[in-house]
Amino acid sequence: MPFSGPPSLGPDAIEFAALAARHCRLPHPDVVARFDAAIFPAIRDQRRRMEIDHERGLLLDDNVLARWALFWSHGMGQTHHPRGWTIAHVWAAPKDPDAYTRLANLCLMPECLGSLSDKAGPLGSYLKYHAYAVYGWHLDGETPPAQPEGYEKIEWNYLSAYDEPQDFIEGRMGELNNQRVIILRELMGQVND
């Protein structure tokens, strides 16, 4: 029997989504509300990472800046990737500079659950609706998502709120002096020390 595509999970999709959501960490709504745009001027382009798209004023990135945006905005100064976790994008739009490091589009999830948010994974529609319902954001050019069946069963977990996220981000950029930060300072109009 040939395979024609992924099987439908039917009513089990809600249970998969609820289970996965319990283990994910989303940006705190109070922190998201402090930013009305993406944190960094960047898009994902792993083949050309660390290059600058001079025409659009963007750094081409390999998902590092999505991680920094999520962590630094919540007062966590780490730059390294946390073992066993992945930074997932709610809307698959890695070439959209408004979405790539926008907090409402990011989710920290266990690596073993990552495929549940990919493409047509059962968690995807719940994350999209959450971004719209809680953060008031959806991908530009897309129709606002409808509430998926069973959404009210989902328990969302958030990173801890941080009172001055912009100050923390600017502080980290002032403390670090790696190539990525040097490029970001230039693109964001900050003076290099």
Side-chain angles (χ1 to χ4, degrees):
M1 178 173 146
F3 289 100
S4 62
S8 170
L9 296 175
D12 291 335
I14 297 169
E15 299 306 318
F16 274 108
L19 175 65
R22 281 198 303 267
H23 298 281
C24 295
R25 300 297 176 265
L26 297 171
H28 196 282
D30 293 345
V31 174
V32 174
R34 293 179 178 259
F35 297 93
D36 60 357
I39 304 292
F40 299 115
I43 58 171
R44 185 166 49 208
D45 188 332
Q46 294 191 10
R47 278 184 264 147
R48 296 178 45 213
R49 69 182 179 88
M50 299 301 294
E51 292 182 24
I52 300 172
D53 177 338
H54 290 283
E55 186 175 315
R56 298 192 299 164
L58 300 172
L59 176 59
L60 306 180
D61 186 53
D62 54 358
N63 225 34
V64 168
L65 293 179
R67 178 175 68 237
W68 288 4
L70 184 61
F71 290 157
W72 293 359
S73 65
H74 288 82
M76 297 180 283
Q78 69 191 60
T79 57
H80 64 279
H81 186 84
R83 187 174 183 184
W85 293 89
T86 189
I87 306 298
H89 285 85
V90 173
W91 292 87
K95 304 294 186 191
D96 183 341
D98 186 51
Y100 180 61
T101 64
R102 183 180 282 268
L103 292 178
N105 195 37
L106 299 176
C107 174
L108 179 65
M109 63 187 341
E111 285 178 344
C112 63
L113 300 177
S115 65
L116 296 178
S117 70
D118 288 345
K119 299 175 186 155
L123 186 56
S125 63
Y126 295 90
L127 287 168
K128 288 175 183 171
Y129 185 75
H130 174 273
Y132 179 65
V134 175
Y135 305 137
W137 184 81
H138 66 88
L139 188 65
D140 192 35
E142 295 284 337
T143 303
Q147 181 174 324
E149 182 182 347
Y151 178 81
E152 65 283 349
K153 295 179 181 179
I154 305 292
E155 290 180 37
W156 300 106
N157 292 298
Y158 299 100
L159 296 169
S160 296
Y162 190 78
D163 289 337
E164 298 298 332
Q166 187 65 44
D167 290 346
F168 192 89
I169 292 168
E170 290 172 7
R172 287 302 286 150
M173 289 183 62
E175 295 165 0
L176 299 172
N177 207 29
N178 61 46
Q179 182 183 10
R180 194 178 313 260
V181 169
I182 291 168
I183 293 169
L184 281 174
R185 284 186 199 136
E186 178 183 333
L187 292 174
M188 296 171 77
Q190 296 180 353
V191 178
N192 292 334
D193 295 331

